[in-house]
Amino acid sequence: MHDPRVLIDMGDEAVRRLARRGHSLDLSSLESLWAQRNQSIRTADELRAESKRIAQDVQRTAKAGGDISALKDTARKLKEQIREVEAEQEQVQEELTRFLLSIPNLPSDEAPDGDSEEFAVEQRRIGSPPDFPFEPKDHVDLGESMGILDFGRATKLSGPRFSVLRGVGAAVERALVALFLDLHTRRHGYVEHSVPFLVTRKTMTGTGQLPKFEEDLFRTGTADRDLFLIPTAEVPLTNLYAEEIIAPAELPVAMTALTPCFRSEAGSYGRDTRGLIRQHQFSKVEMVRICAAEDSRAEMEKMVGHAEACLKALDLAYRVVTLAAGDTGFSARLTYDIEVWLPSQRTYREISSVSDFGTFQGRRAGIRTRDAGGKTAPAATVNGSGLPIGRTLAALLEQHQQADGSVLLPDSLVKYLGFRRIEADGTPSEA
């Protein structure tokens, strides 16, 4: 969430920057709400001061034996006025908060212009896409022919866009989780957490999923409890520090977690609905870093390297791109997408997003630290996928498939699995 004073001081510059991401900032409405809020505060303060003065007059007059009836009547009227002004102040503050919650983060000047993936700017490519001497299968056909993926029975259980992993498929999923968590905790310095998968509306609001993206969320509840299934571990991990002050010496806070993620994908209109690419439920290892505002850009670069390390460990070809301002997520000011090569589609597809949120989430969630002068200041947050298990499995099957229908696994997984190859019939083999 924004500090309204910053947006008002920026004026037309704030309007220009938000227009780059397709948001039309109504600056006059913001200024009006801010002025109303400030005026109501001043009026309430003046009335309280007058009420205090009258109360003192009542005491003095009473001690002197004078008539206090008129003064008491004035005091009563003042209290009524104070209640009215406080109610007005609360209403204006609620309107201002709703207004501010609807405004996305200001995009970084580093983000290129544009509003879709077509305008993303490639930063680098790592690894060479495999050049098969045969027509490669996509991961759906490959996994189902092996018997390690079962989308039909998943649909029977839950409807479309769910999956069942069987036998070696489930074992590889477990091995990927172990590899990623080991990399992040043993090499990259993250602390692993196990967090709730159901969170409150306030928690969802703290990281920016609410109120704007409610249609993308799965909502549940019981009795008077209103809860949401998390779309990513970013939500509970970041909000662990909501309404807290983190000492500068404790920064950066680096956290990771494996959780299921639940997304309705409202508005996707059938895109990538085949296979493991875009599902309603999927597992993901997430990374979150909380730091001082001036360090968030450097922390973002560090996190990108951590996500890349996962793909390098799996010998997967990928590239890194900077998203255009209009294609950047609501809470982010700058985002790198890491895209893995999918041979069946003959293109790179997003497998991880790493975003610098600046102090946007810190303000919304009340996460603070102290500046050099000891004053409290909003903390910055950085978030990234490290990595989604289903998409990684899809890329692994497709990039490492063999002409005989088997899949040769990278060395990094062998120590977790005890075998090197998934044969065409779905059985493990050390060959």
Side-chain angles (χ1 to χ4, degrees), residues 270-429:
R271 181 184 175 192
D272 293 333
T273 56
R274 174 176 164 82
L276 297 171
I277 304 302
R278 191 183 294 267
Q279 295 195 302
H280 292 314
Q281 176 188 324
F282 60 96
S283 296
K284 180 154 64 85
V285 173
E286 194 78 354
M287 301 176 289
V288 168
R289 299 179 78 86
I290 303 176
C291 60
E294 62 270 19
D295 297 331
S296 65
R297 186 67 182 80
E299 293 292 333
M300 177 187 180
E301 291 291 342
K302 188 180 296 184
M303 186 177 285
V304 172
H306 298 159
E308 288 186 78
C310 297
L311 293 172
K312 289 175 180 177
L314 297 172
D315 299 327
L316 293 175
Y318 67 91
R319 70 172 186 167
V320 180
V321 301
T322 304
L323 292 190
D327 197 31
T328 301
F330 179 85
S331 298
R333 64 182 184 181
L334 184 67
T335 296
Y336 286 149
D337 265 8
I338 303 176
E339 300 179 342
V340 70
W341 179 259
L342 286 184
S344 65
Q345 299 184 21
R346 293 181 172 82
T347 190
Y348 290 94
R349 301 306 301 269
E350 183 261 320
I351 196 170
S352 174
S353 286
V354 177
S355 296
D356 174 10
F357 300 117
T359 60
F360 188 81
Q361 290 182 332
R363 288 186 181 279
R364 291 175 76 104
I367 306 170
R368 294 165 291 166
T369 184
R370 296 189 185 277
D371 60 21
K375 295 181 178 180
T376 59
T381 57
V382 181
N383 162 253
S385 307
L387 296 166
I389 307 305
R391 292 189 186 193
T392 305
L393 178 58
L396 191 72
L397 293 175
E398 291 201 15
Q399 285 200 34
H400 292 310
Q401 62 183 292
Q402 307 296 305
D404 63 358
S406 66
V407 173
L408 190 62
L409 299 172
D411 292 341
S412 60
L413 290 181
V414 174
K415 69 174 182 176
Y416 294 101
L417 292 167
F419 58 87
R420 184 171 300 277
R421 185 187 295 269
I422 309 174
E423 299 293 351
D425 62 359
T427 58
S429 169

Side-chain angles (χ1 to χ4, degrees), residues 111-123:
D113 290 332
D115 59 1
S116 70
E117 60 187 22
E118 298 175 6
F119 297 93
V121 174
E122 183 174 297
Q123 299 299 324

Side-chain angles (χ1 to χ4, degrees), residues 144-331:
E144 289 192 327
S145 67
M146 288 177 160
I148 64 173
L149 292 178
D150 193 335
F151 295 99
R153 286 189 172 94
T155 300
K156 179 172 65 175
L157 294 174
S158 307
R161 296 167 75 171
F162 289 88
S163 62
V164 168
L165 276 66
R166 174 180 177 274
V168 169
V172 173
E173 178 184 53
R174 177 161 40 87
L176 287 170
V177 169
L179 172 64
F180 296 162
L181 287 175
D182 282 352
L183 282 172
H184 296 324
T185 58
R186 298 177 184 178
R187 185 186 301 178
H188 302 149
Y190 293 81
V191 176
E192 184 177 355
H193 288 67
S194 178
V195 293
F197 307 151
L198 289 166
V199 297
T200 65
R201 179 175 291 273
K202 181 179 180 181
T203 299
M204 282 289 192
T205 302
T207 39
Q209 282 74 25
L210 290 177
K212 184 174 177 60
F213 301 105
E214 185 157 356
E215 67 172 3
D216 288 325
L217 303 172
F218 284 102
R219 179 179 176 184
T220 186
T222 179
D224 61 344
R225 300 189 68 186
D226 187 23
L227 296 170
F228 294 84
L229 290 160
I230 60 170
T232 165
E234 167 200 347
V235 176
L237 285 176
T238 303
N239 282 281
L240 284 173
Y241 289 88
E243 307 302 334
E244 293 187 20
I245 299 175
I246 307 172
E250 297 177 12
L251 299 176
V253 175
M255 300 172 283
T256 187
L258 166 73
T259 66
C261 304
F262 304 91
R263 301 182 185 179
S264 72
E265 298 287 3
S268 61
Y269 302 110
R271 181 184 175 192
D272 293 333
T273 56
R274 174 176 164 82
L276 297 171
I277 304 302
R278 191 183 294 267
Q279 295 195 302
H280 292 314
Q281 176 188 324
F282 60 96
S283 296
K284 180 154 64 85
V285 173
E286 194 78 354
M287 301 176 289
V288 168
R289 299 179 78 86
I290 303 176
C291 60
E294 62 270 19
D295 297 331
S296 65
R297 186 67 182 80
E299 293 292 333
M300 177 187 180
E301 291 291 342
K302 188 180 296 184
M303 186 177 285
V304 172
H306 298 159
E308 288 186 78
C310 297
L311 293 172
K312 289 175 180 177
L314 297 172
D315 299 327
L316 293 175
Y318 67 91
R319 70 172 186 167
V320 180
V321 301
T322 304
L323 292 190
D327 197 31
T328 301
F330 179 85
S331 298

